[in-house]
Amino acid sequence: VYDARGKVIGWKGTLAISELKKCVAADPNHGLAYRSLGVAYYMLGQEKSAVQAYARFVSLAPDHKDVPKVKEIIANYQKRGGG
């Protein structure tokens, strides 16, 4: 069951990334799309790409309610030697 669930999550995450990349290509200033892209990358274990998307979200939507949590994710990644 776990393996099947992981495959479904992976497929959905891959599909989400594909669609979100189209979204940000059409509107590079769509902050929430970058937040969602970060979530999708994180789901697939692509932490570096997730943090890059999250950083873009923070720069585009600095007053969004999720920014403090996203900044915490970025800081934790950097403390572990990422970035």
Side-chain angles (χ1 to χ4, degrees):
V1 173
Y2 177 78
D3 288 340
R5 183 174 179 267
K7 288 178 183 175
V8 169
I9 288 172
W11 177 79
K12 287 183 180 179
T14 301
L15 181 61
I17 289 169
S18 175
E19 293 302 312
L20 288 162
K21 282 183 173 182
K22 291 177 190 175
C23 181
V24 297
D27 182 1
N29 295 315
H30 194 295
L32 293 178
Y34 282 99
R35 184 193 62 179
S36 297
L37 189 57
V39 170
Y41 277 128
Y42 231 94
M43 284 176 48
L44 295 178
Q46 297 179 29
E47 195 172 13
K48 181 178 180 180
S49 294
V51 168
Q52 290 170 342
Y54 283 149
R56 182 74 173 140
F57 161 66
V58 169
S59 71
L60 291 171
D63 297 325
H64 191 276
K65 66 179 180 67
D66 291 344
V67 165
K69 178 63 178 170
V70 170
K71 283 184 174 180
E72 184 180 321
I73 292 168
I74 294 168
N76 287 336
Y77 173 75
Q78 293 170 338
K79 284 179 189 175
R80 291 191 318 273

